[in-house]
Amino acid sequence: MTAQIDPTTLTVGVLGGTGAQGKGLALRWACAGISVVIGSRDAGRAEVAAKEYREATGVDHVRGTDNATCAAESDVVLAAIPWESHAETLRSLAAPLTGKILVDCVNPIGFDKKGPYPLPVEEGSVAQQAEHLLPQSRVTAAFHNVSAVLLADLEQSEVDCDVLVLGDDRDATDVVRALADAIPGMRGIYGGRLRNAYQVECLTANLIAINRRYKVHAGIKITDL
């Protein structure tokens, strides 16, 4: 675990916590003793999900609420929302996200009959769009290349993969690395500044193609480290 950072002292909000990626990370963080707040446009839907996650993990430090309250009451906020609603959602949450560490894990991926492919992003990457929309937040990018299926399968004691964490605020990236390290089998690795996020976001298209071809749940590992 990243030195001198205890992630169990944090409250982590998950915007899009009712979706696959948000659910998987929320479950794993809850199992690691981290307080989790599930956010959704519908607070009732978020609490239904939170109740499901409490039952799945056997812990009581998971609750659900609306997105704005989730952002306001969390120390670190994960954006696990659809790319199509990314800008609209974050723009509406600029005030409650002021001063917060935002972890963007959104992938700009499209699908056609040939399979997955990366979509262009005007700002350079999804994370850079978040930085543009949230100038008063500490924006990072991470958790793009982790299988939601493996995360949600709590019978799998470990999630064997590395997580590239990108950002311009080194203290913020250290916190996010600690959140990755808190999940057994997972390792958070600093992957460069936020301007390098696009290729990490788009790598998910390759992993989806691998998963479909080989019937696996592929991740990434960094060698010699």
Side-chain angles (χ1 to χ4, degrees):
M1 196 168 293
T2 305
Q4 301 180 339
I5 297 175
D6 180 1
T8 63
T9 64
L10 302 170
T11 296
V12 178
V14 182
L15 304 175
T18 59
Q21 196 76 357
K23 173 183 178 178
L25 287 166
L27 288 169
R28 294 290 177 168
W29 284 328
C31 288
I34 298 168
S35 295
V36 176
V37 182
I38 304 300
S40 174
R41 288 177 296 180
D42 183 337
R45 183 183 177 195
E47 180 49 38
V48 168
K51 181 176 184 293
E52 175 192 337
Y53 304 167
R54 290 193 297 268
E55 292 172 350
T57 59
V59 303
D60 59 6
H61 45 264
V62 184
R63 60 189 176 88
T65 185
D66 63 88
N67 282 334
T69 303
C70 171
E73 297 184 355
S74 301
D75 303 301
V76 180
V77 179
L78 175 77
I81 51 185
W83 164 233
E84 293 76 15
S85 59
H86 181 264
E88 177 187 0
T89 300
L90 294 189
R91 186 181 293 112
S92 71
L93 297 173
L97 286 171
T98 296
K100 305 296 176 73
I101 296 175
L102 180 88
V103 188
D104 205 308
C105 74
V106 177
N107 299 306
I109 303 297
F111 295 87
D112 61 18
K113 62 182 180 181
K114 294 182 179 180
Y117 64 97
L119 299 171
V121 181
E122 181 179 354
E123 293 84 356
S125 68
V126 177
Q128 286 171 294
Q129 183 185 88
E131 183 181 49
H132 174 74
L133 294 168
L134 304 171
Q136 302 304 314
S137 300
R138 303 165 69 190
V139 177
T140 65
F143 303 104
H144 302 89
N145 312 134
V146 186
S147 167
V149 174
L150 290 183
L151 286 170
D153 183 2
L154 297 182
E155 292 186 3
Q156 299 287 333
S157 60
E158 296 188 353
V159 180
D160 182 25
C161 71
D162 290 335
V163 171
L164 292 177
V165 181
L166 301 100
D168 299 327
D169 182 326
R170 188 60 65 90
D171 290 338
T173 60
D174 284 348
V175 170
V176 179
R177 287 175 52 226
L179 287 172
D181 292 347
I183 299 174
M186 192 177 288
R187 184 174 61 157
I189 296 174
Y190 175 70
R193 292 185 175 273
L194 209 64
R195 67 184 182 182
N196 294 323
Y198 184 65
Q199 59 265 36
V200 178
E201 297 167 356
C202 294
L203 180 60
T204 300
N206 301 89
L207 293 175
I208 293 171
I210 290 168
N211 291 341
R212 289 181 172 182
R213 175 66 173 81
Y214 295 100
K215 311 300 182 187
V216 295
H217 302 294
I220 63 170
K221 297 287 284 187
I222 305 301
T223 62
D224 198 30
L225 184 65

PDB file of all heavy atoms in Angstrom, residues 53-92:
ATOM      1  N   TYR A  53     -25.182  -3.988  -2.068  1.00  0.00           N
ATOM      2  CA  TYR A  53     -23.745  -4.095  -1.829  1.00  0.00           C
ATOM      3  C   TYR A  53     -23.464  -4.414  -0.356  1.00  0.00           C
ATOM      4  O   TYR A  53     -22.517  -5.150  -0.051  1.00  0.00           O
ATOM      5  CB  TYR A  53     -23.028  -2.810  -2.230  1.00  0.00           C
ATOM      6  CG  TYR A  53     -23.262  -2.386  -3.669  1.00  0.00           C
ATOM      7  CD1 TYR A  53     -22.909  -1.110  -4.108  1.00  0.00           C
ATOM      8  CD2 TYR A  53     -23.853  -3.242  -4.598  1.00  0.00           C
ATOM      9  CE1 TYR A  53     -23.122  -0.716  -5.413  1.00  0.00           C
ATOM     10  CE2 TYR A  53     -24.073  -2.843  -5.906  1.00  0.00           C
ATOM     11  CZ  TYR A  53     -23.717  -1.575  -6.307  1.00  0.00           C
ATOM     12  OH  TYR A  53     -23.944  -1.175  -7.607  1.00  0.00           O
ATOM     13  N   ARG A  54     -24.263  -3.854   0.553  1.00  0.00           N
ATOM     14  CA  ARG A  54     -24.094  -4.188   1.978  1.00  0.00           C
ATOM     15  C   ARG A  54     -24.336  -5.668   2.217  1.00  0.00           C
ATOM     16  O   ARG A  54     -23.602  -6.333   2.960  1.00  0.00           O
ATOM     17  CB  ARG A  54     -25.037  -3.335   2.840  1.00  0.00           C
ATOM     18  CG  ARG A  54     -24.676  -1.865   2.914  1.00  0.00           C
ATOM     19  CD  ARG A  54     -25.435  -1.144   4.018  1.00  0.00           C
ATOM     20  NE  ARG A  54     -26.879  -1.128   3.817  1.00  0.00           N
ATOM     21  CZ  ARG A  54     -27.545  -0.166   3.193  1.00  0.00           C
ATOM     22  NH1 ARG A  54     -26.884   0.871   2.673  1.00  0.00           N
ATOM     23  NH2 ARG A  54     -28.860  -0.211   3.078  1.00  0.00           N
ATOM     24  N   GLU A  55     -25.355  -6.186   1.583  1.00  0.00           N
ATOM     25  CA  GLU A  55     -25.671  -7.608   1.740  1.00  0.00           C
ATOM     26  C   GLU A  55     -24.586  -8.486   1.122  1.00  0.00           C
ATOM     27  O   GLU A  55     -24.227  -9.534   1.683  1.00  0.00           O
ATOM     28  CB  GLU A  55     -27.028  -7.914   1.112  1.00  0.00           C
ATOM     29  CG  GLU A  55     -28.198  -7.271   1.851  1.00  0.00           C
ATOM     30  CD  GLU A  55     -29.517  -7.428   1.116  1.00  0.00           C
ATOM     31  OE1 GLU A  55     -29.493  -7.865  -0.064  1.00  0.00           O
ATOM     32  OE2 GLU A  55     -30.572  -7.101   1.709  1.00  0.00           O
ATOM     33  N   ALA A  56     -24.034  -8.059  -0.012  1.00  0.00           N
ATOM     34  CA  ALA A  56     -23.011  -8.853  -0.697  1.00  0.00           C
ATOM     35  C   ALA A  56     -21.707  -8.888   0.074  1.00  0.00           C
ATOM     36  O   ALA A  56     -20.990  -9.899   0.061  1.00  0.00           O
ATOM     37  CB  ALA A  56     -22.771  -8.297  -2.098  1.00  0.00           C
ATOM     38  N   THR A  57     -21.375  -7.780   0.753  1.00  0.00           N
ATOM     39  CA  THR A  57     -20.091  -7.679   1.437  1.00  0.00           C
ATOM     40  C   THR A  57     -20.171  -7.972   2.926  1.00  0.00           C
ATOM     41  O   THR A  57     -19.143  -8.251   3.554  1.00  0.00           O
ATOM     42  CB  THR A  57     -19.498  -6.267   1.260  1.00  0.00           C
ATOM     43  OG1 THR A  57     -20.420  -5.300   1.794  1.00  0.00           O
ATOM     44  CG2 THR A  57     -19.247  -5.961  -0.211  1.00  0.00           C
ATOM     45  N   GLY A  58     -21.361  -7.869   3.483  1.00  0.00           N
ATOM     46  CA  GLY A  58     -21.508  -8.078   4.925  1.00  0.00           C
ATOM     47  C   GLY A  58     -21.029  -6.909   5.763  1.00  0.00           C
ATOM     48  O   GLY A  58     -20.789  -7.053   6.958  1.00  0.00           O
ATOM     49  N   VAL A  59     -20.892  -5.740   5.145  1.00  0.00           N
ATOM     50  CA  VAL A  59     -20.472  -4.539   5.867  1.00  0.00           C
ATOM     51  C   VAL A  59     -21.593  -3.508   5.816  1.00  0.00           C
ATOM     52  O   VAL A  59     -22.504  -3.600   4.995  1.00  0.00           O
ATOM     53  CB  VAL A  59     -19.168  -3.949   5.274  1.00  0.00           C
ATOM     54  CG1 VAL A  59     -18.054  -4.986   5.282  1.00  0.00           C
ATOM     55  CG2 VAL A  59     -19.396  -3.433   3.853  1.00  0.00           C
ATOM     56  N   ASP A  60     -21.492  -2.505   6.698  1.00  0.00           N
ATOM     57  CA  ASP A  60     -22.560  -1.508   6.746  1.00  0.00           C
ATOM     58  C   ASP A  60     -22.115  -0.117   6.322  1.00  0.00           C
ATOM     59  O   ASP A  60     -22.892   0.834   6.407  1.00  0.00           O
ATOM     60  CB  ASP A  60     -23.182  -1.447   8.149  1.00  0.00           C
ATOM     61  CG  ASP A  60     -22.171  -1.088   9.230  1.00  0.00           C
ATOM     62  OD1 ASP A  60     -21.011  -0.772   8.888  1.00  0.00           O
ATOM     63  OD2 ASP A  60     -22.553  -1.113  10.422  1.00  0.00           O
ATOM     64  N   HIS A  61     -20.848   0.008   5.860  1.00  0.00           N
ATOM     65  CA  HIS A  61     -20.343   1.341   5.507  1.00  0.00           C
ATOM     66  C   HIS A  61     -20.489   1.631   4.011  1.00  0.00           C
ATOM     67  O   HIS A  61     -19.573   2.157   3.372  1.00  0.00           O
ATOM     68  CB  HIS A  61     -18.892   1.526   5.966  1.00  0.00           C
ATOM     69  CG  HIS A  61     -18.001   0.371   5.654  1.00  0.00           C
ATOM     70  ND1 HIS A  61     -17.730  -0.623   6.567  1.00  0.00           N
ATOM     71  CD2 HIS A  61     -17.314   0.033   4.531  1.00  0.00           C
ATOM     72  CE1 HIS A  61     -16.917  -1.503   6.027  1.00  0.00           C
ATOM     73  NE2 HIS A  61     -16.653  -1.133   4.786  1.00  0.00           N
ATOM     74  N   VAL A  62     -21.653   1.295   3.470  1.00  0.00           N
ATOM     75  CA  VAL A  62     -22.015   1.651   2.094  1.00  0.00           C
ATOM     76  C   VAL A  62     -23.405   2.266   2.132  1.00  0.00           C
ATOM     77  O   VAL A  62     -24.326   1.676   2.686  1.00  0.00           O
ATOM     78  CB  VAL A  62     -22.036   0.425   1.161  1.00  0.00           C
ATOM     79  CG1 VAL A  62     -22.323   0.864  -0.276  1.00  0.00           C
ATOM     80  CG2 VAL A  62     -20.731  -0.346   1.231  1.00  0.00           C
ATOM     81  N   ARG A  63     -23.562   3.438   1.554  1.00  0.00           N
ATOM     82  CA  ARG A  63     -24.874   4.071   1.512  1.00  0.00           C
ATOM     83  C   ARG A  63     -25.092   4.718   0.163  1.00  0.00           C
ATOM     84  O   ARG A  63     -24.141   4.950  -0.593  1.00  0.00           O
ATOM     85  CB  ARG A  63     -25.045   5.088   2.641  1.00  0.00           C
ATOM     86  CG  ARG A  63     -24.034   6.220   2.623  1.00  0.00           C
ATOM     87  CD  ARG A  63     -24.138   7.067   3.886  1.00  0.00           C
ATOM     88  NE  ARG A  63     -23.115   8.101   3.933  1.00  0.00           N
ATOM     89  CZ  ARG A  63     -23.250   9.300   3.406  1.00  0.00           C
ATOM     90  NH1 ARG A  63     -24.387   9.641   2.782  1.00  0.00           N
ATOM     91  NH2 ARG A  63     -22.292  10.191   3.484  1.00  0.00           N
ATOM     92  N   GLY A  64     -26.338   5.016  -0.156  1.00  0.00           N
ATOM     93  CA  GLY A  64     -26.668   5.587  -1.443  1.00  0.00           C
ATOM     94  C   GLY A  64     -27.367   6.923  -1.321  1.00  0.00           C
ATOM     95  O   GLY A  64     -28.098   7.170  -0.355  1.00  0.00           O
ATOM     96  N   THR A  65     -27.148   7.797  -2.302  1.00  0.00           N
ATOM     97  CA  THR A  65     -27.769   9.105  -2.298  1.00  0.00           C
ATOM     98  C   THR A  65     -27.714   9.681  -3.716  1.00  0.00           C
ATOM     99  O   THR A  65     -27.296   9.003  -4.655  1.00  0.00           O
ATOM    100  CB  THR A  65     -27.060  10.036  -1.290  1.00  0.00           C
ATOM    101  OG1 THR A  65     -27.759  11.277  -1.212  1.00  0.00           O
ATOM    102  CG2 THR A  65     -25.616  10.307  -1.689  1.00  0.00           C
ATOM    103  N   ASP A  66     -28.136  10.919  -3.879  1.00  0.00           N
ATOM    104  CA  ASP A  66     -28.069  11.560  -5.198  1.00  0.00           C
ATOM    105  C   ASP A  66     -26.638  11.998  -5.488  1.00  0.00           C
ATOM    106  O   ASP A  66     -25.789  12.082  -4.597  1.00  0.00           O
ATOM    107  CB  ASP A  66     -29.022  12.754  -5.259  1.00  0.00           C
ATOM    108  CG  ASP A  66     -28.643  13.832  -4.261  1.00  0.00           C
ATOM    109  OD1 ASP A  66     -27.837  14.711  -4.603  1.00  0.00           O
ATOM    110  OD2 ASP A  66     -29.136  13.767  -3.111  1.00  0.00           O
ATOM    111  N   ASN A  67     -26.344  12.278  -6.754  1.00  0.00           N
ATOM    112  CA  ASN A  67     -24.980  12.596  -7.171  1.00  0.00           C
ATOM    113  C   ASN A  67     -24.388  13.797  -6.445  1.00  0.00           C
ATOM    114  O   ASN A  67     -23.215  13.780  -6.044  1.00  0.00           O
ATOM    115  CB  ASN A  67     -24.943  12.845  -8.676  1.00  0.00           C
ATOM    116  CG  ASN A  67     -24.959  11.576  -9.491  1.00  0.00           C
ATOM    117  OD1 ASN A  67     -24.543  10.521  -9.027  1.00  0.00           O
ATOM    118  ND2 ASN A  67     -25.435  11.671 -10.724  1.00  0.00           N
ATOM    119  N   ALA A  68     -25.170  14.857  -6.275  1.00  0.00           N
ATOM    120  CA  ALA A  68     -24.646  16.065  -5.648  1.00  0.00           C
ATOM    121  C   ALA A  68     -24.262  15.811  -4.198  1.00  0.00           C
ATOM    122  O   ALA A  68     -23.202  16.259  -3.730  1.00  0.00           O
ATOM    123  CB  ALA A  68     -25.665  17.199  -5.734  1.00  0.00           C
ATOM    124  N   THR A  69     -25.093  15.093  -3.464  1.00  0.00           N
ATOM    125  CA  THR A  69     -24.780  14.772  -2.072  1.00  0.00           C
ATOM    126  C   THR A  69     -23.591  13.838  -1.987  1.00  0.00           C
ATOM    127  O   THR A  69     -22.725  13.984  -1.122  1.00  0.00           O
ATOM    128  CB  THR A  69     -26.000  14.137  -1.385  1.00  0.00           C
ATOM    129  OG1 THR A  69     -27.111  15.025  -1.494  1.00  0.00           O
ATOM    130  CG2 THR A  69     -25.726  13.871   0.087  1.00  0.00           C
ATOM    131  N   CYS A  70     -23.539  12.883  -2.894  1.00  0.00           N
ATOM    132  CA  CYS A  70     -22.396  11.967  -2.969  1.00  0.00           C
ATOM    133  C   CYS A  70     -21.099  12.749  -3.133  1.00  0.00           C
ATOM    134  O   CYS A  70     -20.111  12.506  -2.419  1.00  0.00           O
ATOM    135  CB  CYS A  70     -22.588  10.993  -4.120  1.00  0.00           C
ATOM    136  SG  CYS A  70     -21.166   9.968  -4.505  1.00  0.00           S
ATOM    137  N   ALA A  71     -21.076  13.699  -4.054  1.00  0.00           N
ATOM    138  CA  ALA A  71     -19.877  14.496  -4.294  1.00  0.00           C
ATOM    139  C   ALA A  71     -19.520  15.346  -3.089  1.00  0.00           C
ATOM    140  O   ALA A  71     -18.350  15.444  -2.705  1.00  0.00           O
ATOM    141  CB  ALA A  71     -20.083  15.379  -5.526  1.00  0.00           C
ATOM    142  N   ALA A  72     -20.518  15.946  -2.467  1.00  0.00           N
ATOM    143  CA  ALA A  72     -20.273  16.856  -1.354  1.00  0.00           C
ATOM    144  C   ALA A  72     -19.759  16.132  -0.114  1.00  0.00           C
ATOM    145  O   ALA A  72     -18.943  16.682   0.641  1.00  0.00           O
ATOM    146  CB  ALA A  72     -21.559  17.611  -1.014  1.00  0.00           C
ATOM    147  N   GLU A  73     -20.199  14.897   0.105  1.00  0.00           N
ATOM    148  CA  GLU A  73     -19.892  14.192   1.348  1.00  0.00           C
ATOM    149  C   GLU A  73     -18.718  13.224   1.225  1.00  0.00           C
ATOM    150  O   GLU A  73     -18.423  12.497   2.173  1.00  0.00           O
ATOM    151  CB  GLU A  73     -21.137  13.457   1.844  1.00  0.00           C
ATOM    152  CG  GLU A  73     -22.276  14.416   2.193  1.00  0.00           C
ATOM    153  CD  GLU A  73     -23.491  13.720   2.785  1.00  0.00           C
ATOM    154  OE1 GLU A  73     -23.508  12.467   2.845  1.00  0.00           O
ATOM    155  OE2 GLU A  73     -24.413  14.443   3.205  1.00  0.00           O
ATOM    156  N   SER A  74     -18.029  13.227   0.098  1.00  0.00           N
ATOM    157  CA  SER A  74     -16.913  12.307  -0.121  1.00  0.00           C
ATOM    158  C   SER A  74     -15.592  13.069  -0.194  1.00  0.00           C
ATOM    159  O   SER A  74     -15.550  14.229  -0.586  1.00  0.00           O
ATOM    160  CB  SER A  74     -17.124  11.524  -1.420  1.00  0.00           C
ATOM    161  OG  SER A  74     -18.335  10.785  -1.373  1.00  0.00           O
ATOM    162  N   ASP A  75     -14.513  12.384   0.185  1.00  0.00           N
ATOM    163  CA  ASP A  75     -13.167  12.956   0.067  1.00  0.00           C
ATOM    164  C   ASP A  75     -12.615  12.756  -1.337  1.00  0.00           C
ATOM    165  O   ASP A  75     -11.933  13.621  -1.892  1.00  0.00           O
ATOM    166  CB  ASP A  75     -12.218  12.287   1.068  1.00  0.00           C
ATOM    167  CG  ASP A  75     -12.706  12.394   2.494  1.00  0.00           C
ATOM    168  OD1 ASP A  75     -12.883  13.532   2.964  1.00  0.00           O
ATOM    169  OD2 ASP A  75     -12.915  11.352   3.138  1.00  0.00           O
ATOM    170  N   VAL A  76     -12.888  11.589  -1.888  1.00  0.00           N
ATOM    171  CA  VAL A  76     -12.453  11.214  -3.233  1.00  0.00           C
ATOM    172  C   VAL A  76     -13.692  10.758  -3.990  1.00  0.00           C
ATOM    173  O   VAL A  76     -14.526  10.031  -3.434  1.00  0.00           O
ATOM    174  CB  VAL A  76     -11.416  10.075  -3.195  1.00  0.00           C
ATOM    175  CG1 VAL A  76     -10.974   9.691  -4.609  1.00  0.00           C
ATOM    176  CG2 VAL A  76     -10.224  10.455  -2.340  1.00  0.00           C
ATOM    177  N   VAL A  77     -13.825  11.172  -5.242  1.00  0.00           N
ATOM    178  CA  VAL A  77     -15.011  10.833  -6.026  1.00  0.00           C
ATOM    179  C   VAL A  77     -14.594  10.152  -7.318  1.00  0.00           C
ATOM    180  O   VAL A  77     -13.790  10.702  -8.085  1.00  0.00           O
ATOM    181  CB  VAL A  77     -15.859  12.084  -6.333  1.00  0.00           C
ATOM    182  CG1 VAL A  77     -17.080  11.706  -7.166  1.00  0.00           C
ATOM    183  CG2 VAL A  77     -16.289  12.768  -5.039  1.00  0.00           C
ATOM    184  N   LEU A  78     -15.119   8.961  -7.547  1.00  0.00           N
ATOM    185  CA  LEU A  78     -14.881   8.228  -8.786  1.00  0.00           C
ATOM    186  C   LEU A  78     -15.991   8.537  -9.781  1.00  0.00           C
ATOM    187  O   LEU A  78     -17.170   8.399  -9.459  1.00  0.00           O
ATOM    188  CB  LEU A  78     -14.858   6.723  -8.508  1.00  0.00           C
ATOM    189  CG  LEU A  78     -14.740   5.820  -9.741  1.00  0.00           C
ATOM    190  CD1 LEU A  78     -13.305   5.798 -10.252  1.00  0.00           C
ATOM    191  CD2 LEU A  78     -15.224   4.400  -9.431  1.00  0.00           C
ATOM    192  N   ALA A  79     -15.611   8.950 -10.984  1.00  0.00           N
ATOM    193  CA  ALA A  79     -16.583   9.133 -12.064  1.00  0.00           C
ATOM    194  C   ALA A  79     -16.608   7.860 -12.892  1.00  0.00           C
ATOM    195  O   ALA A  79     -15.676   7.592 -13.653  1.00  0.00           O
ATOM    196  CB  ALA A  79     -16.217  10.327 -12.929  1.00  0.00           C
ATOM    197  N   ALA A  80     -17.654   7.076 -12.710  1.00  0.00           N
ATOM    198  CA  ALA A  80     -17.832   5.822 -13.466  1.00  0.00           C
ATOM    199  C   ALA A  80     -19.135   5.923 -14.238  1.00  0.00           C
ATOM    200  O   ALA A  80     -20.013   5.071 -14.135  1.00  0.00           O
ATOM    201  CB  ALA A  80     -17.842   4.632 -12.516  1.00  0.00           C
ATOM    202  N   ILE A  81     -19.252   6.978 -14.991  1.00  0.00           N
ATOM    203  CA  ILE A  81     -20.497   7.321 -15.678  1.00  0.00           C
ATOM    204  C   ILE A  81     -20.326   7.079 -17.178  1.00  0.00           C
ATOM    205  O   ILE A  81     -19.217   7.016 -17.688  1.00  0.00           O
ATOM    206  CB  ILE A  81     -20.878   8.796 -15.410  1.00  0.00           C
ATOM    207  CG1 ILE A  81     -19.673   9.722 -15.719  1.00  0.00           C
ATOM    208  CG2 ILE A  81     -21.306   8.974 -13.961  1.00  0.00           C
ATOM    209  CD1 ILE A  81     -19.891  11.178 -15.391  1.00  0.00           C
ATOM    210  N   PRO A  82     -21.420   6.954 -17.920  1.00  0.00           N
ATOM    211  CA  PRO A  82     -21.299   6.755 -19.372  1.00  0.00           C
ATOM    212  C   PRO A  82     -20.631   7.943 -20.046  1.00  0.00           C
ATOM    213  O   PRO A  82     -20.839   9.103 -19.636  1.00  0.00           O
ATOM    214  CB  PRO A  82     -22.757   6.604 -19.825  1.00  0.00           C
ATOM    215  CG  PRO A  82     -23.511   6.204 -18.601  1.00  0.00           C
ATOM    216  CD  PRO A  82     -22.821   6.885 -17.462  1.00  0.00           C
ATOM    217  N   TRP A  83     -19.835   7.682 -21.062  1.00  0.00           N
ATOM    218  CA  TRP A  83     -19.175   8.741 -21.798  1.00  0.00           C
ATOM    219  C   TRP A  83     -20.196   9.733 -22.355  1.00  0.00           C
ATOM    220  O   TRP A  83     -19.977  10.947 -22.364  1.00  0.00           O
ATOM    221  CB  TRP A  83     -18.334   8.137 -22.919  1.00  0.00           C
ATOM    222  CG  TRP A  83     -17.901   9.094 -23.989  1.00  0.00           C
ATOM    223  CD1 TRP A  83     -18.085   8.963 -25.335  1.00  0.00           C
ATOM    224  CD2 TRP A  83     -17.188  10.332 -23.810  1.00  0.00           C
ATOM    225  NE1 TRP A  83     -17.534  10.041 -26.010  1.00  0.00           N
ATOM    226  CE2 TRP A  83     -16.989  10.900 -25.099  1.00  0.00           C
ATOM    227  CE3 TRP A  83     -16.722  11.025 -22.689  1.00  0.00           C
ATOM    228  CZ2 TRP A  83     -16.339  12.108 -25.287  1.00  0.00           C
ATOM    229  CZ3 TRP A  83     -16.070  12.245 -22.886  1.00  0.00           C
ATOM    230  CH2 TRP A  83     -15.886  12.765 -24.166  1.00  0.00           C
ATOM    231  N   GLU A  84     -21.339   9.240 -22.765  1.00  0.00           N
ATOM    232  CA  GLU A  84     -22.353  10.096 -23.380  1.00  0.00           C
ATOM    233  C   GLU A  84     -22.867  11.175 -22.414  1.00  0.00           C
ATOM    234  O   GLU A  84     -23.286  12.254 -22.861  1.00  0.00           O
ATOM    235  CB  GLU A  84     -23.520   9.250 -23.881  1.00  0.00           C
ATOM    236  CG  GLU A  84     -23.202   8.319 -25.027  1.00  0.00           C
ATOM    237  CD  GLU A  84     -22.420   7.086 -24.586  1.00  0.00           C
ATOM    238  OE1 GLU A  84     -22.363   6.798 -23.369  1.00  0.00           O
ATOM    239  OE2 GLU A  84     -21.844   6.406 -25.472  1.00  0.00           O
ATOM    240  N   SER A  85     -22.849  10.911 -21.132  1.00  0.00           N
ATOM    241  CA  SER A  85     -23.352  11.885 -20.159  1.00  0.00           C
ATOM    242  C   SER A  85     -22.239  12.468 -19.297  1.00  0.00           C
ATOM    243  O   SER A  85     -22.508  13.161 -18.310  1.00  0.00           O
ATOM    244  CB  SER A  85     -24.413  11.236 -19.266  1.00  0.00           C
ATOM    245  OG  SER A  85     -23.883  10.124 -18.563  1.00  0.00           O
ATOM    246  N   HIS A  86     -20.999  12.219 -19.664  1.00  0.00           N
ATOM    247  CA  HIS A  86     -19.850  12.637 -18.855  1.00  0.00           C
ATOM    248  C   HIS A  86     -19.827  14.147 -18.639  1.00  0.00           C
ATOM    249  O   HIS A  86     -19.793  14.629 -17.502  1.00  0.00           O
ATOM    250  CB  HIS A  86     -18.564  12.164 -19.541  1.00  0.00           C
ATOM    251  CG  HIS A  86     -17.304  12.499 -18.823  1.00  0.00           C
ATOM    252  ND1 HIS A  86     -16.548  13.620 -19.120  1.00  0.00           N
ATOM    253  CD2 HIS A  86     -16.646  11.866 -17.823  1.00  0.00           C
ATOM    254  CE1 HIS A  86     -15.483  13.652 -18.344  1.00  0.00           C
ATOM    255  NE2 HIS A  86     -15.513  12.597 -17.546  1.00  0.00           N
ATOM    256  N   ALA A  87     -19.842  14.891 -19.718  1.00  0.00           N
ATOM    257  CA  ALA A  87     -19.725  16.346 -19.604  1.00  0.00           C
ATOM    258  C   ALA A  87     -20.905  16.936 -18.845  1.00  0.00           C
ATOM    259  O   ALA A  87     -20.730  17.772 -17.941  1.00  0.00           O
ATOM    260  CB  ALA A  87     -19.620  16.966 -20.994  1.00  0.00           C
ATOM    261  N   GLU A  88     -22.100  16.522 -19.181  1.00  0.00           N
ATOM    262  CA  GLU A  88     -23.296  17.061 -18.530  1.00  0.00           C
ATOM    263  C   GLU A  88     -23.279  16.793 -17.029  1.00  0.00           C
ATOM    264  O   GLU A  88     -23.583  17.679 -16.217  1.00  0.00           O
ATOM    265  CB  GLU A  88     -24.538  16.436 -19.159  1.00  0.00           C
ATOM    266  CG  GLU A  88     -25.844  16.859 -18.513  1.00  0.00           C
ATOM    267  CD  GLU A  88     -27.040  16.099 -19.057  1.00  0.00           C
ATOM    268  OE1 GLU A  88     -26.851  15.232 -19.937  1.00  0.00           O
ATOM    269  OE2 GLU A  88     -28.161  16.366 -18.593  1.00  0.00           O
ATOM    270  N   THR A  89     -22.925  15.561 -16.655  1.00  0.00           N
ATOM    271  CA  THR A  89     -22.928  15.197 -15.237  1.00  0.00           C
ATOM    272  C   THR A  89     -21.895  15.991 -14.456  1.00  0.00           C
ATOM    273  O   THR A  89     -22.200  16.569 -13.397  1.00  0.00           O
ATOM    274  CB  THR A  89     -22.667  13.690 -15.074  1.00  0.00           C
ATOM    275  OG1 THR A  89     -23.684  12.949 -15.749  1.00  0.00           O
ATOM    276  CG2 THR A  89     -22.654  13.295 -13.604  1.00  0.00           C
ATOM    277  N   LEU A  90     -20.659  16.039 -14.947  1.00  0.00           N
ATOM    278  CA  LEU A  90     -19.607  16.732 -14.205  1.00  0.00           C
ATOM    279  C   LEU A  90     -19.848  18.236 -14.161  1.00  0.00           C
ATOM    280  O   LEU A  90     -19.593  18.883 -13.133  1.00  0.00           O
ATOM    281  CB  LEU A  90     -18.244  16.425 -14.808  1.00  0.00           C
ATOM    282  CG  LEU A  90     -17.776  14.973 -14.692  1.00  0.00           C
ATOM    283  CD1 LEU A  90     -16.324  14.852 -15.128  1.00  0.00           C
ATOM    284  CD2 LEU A  90     -17.944  14.426 -13.280  1.00  0.00           C
ATOM    285  N   ARG A  91     -20.339  18.795 -15.241  1.00  0.00           N
ATOM    286  CA  ARG A  91     -20.626  20.237 -15.256  1.00  0.00           C
ATOM    287  C   ARG A  91     -21.630  20.589 -14.157  1.00  0.00           C
ATOM    288  O   ARG A  91     -21.492  21.626 -13.481  1.00  0.00           O
ATOM    289  CB  ARG A  91     -21.170  20.646 -16.621  1.00  0.00           C
ATOM    290  CG  ARG A  91     -21.351  22.148 -16.784  1.00  0.00           C
ATOM    291  CD  ARG A  91     -21.910  22.494 -18.154  1.00  0.00           C
ATOM    292  NE  ARG A  91     -20.973  22.199 -19.234  1.00  0.00           N
ATOM    293  CZ  ARG A  91     -21.146  21.247 -20.147  1.00  0.00           C
ATOM    294  NH1 ARG A  91     -22.233  20.476 -20.107  1.00  0.00           N
ATOM    295  NH2 ARG A  91     -20.259  21.070 -21.094  1.00  0.00           N
ATOM    296  N   SER A  92     -22.604  19.739 -13.954  1.00  0.00           N
ATOM    297  CA  SER A  92     -23.635  20.006 -12.947  1.00  0.00           C
ATOM    298  C   SER A  92     -23.133  19.836 -11.518  1.00  0.00           C
ATOM    299  O   SER A  92     -23.793  20.277 -10.571  1.00  0.00           O
ATOM    300  CB  SER A  92     -24.839  19.077 -13.169  1.00  0.00           C
ATOM    301  OG  SER A  92     -24.522  17.738 -12.827  1.00  0.00           O
TER     302      SER A  92
END
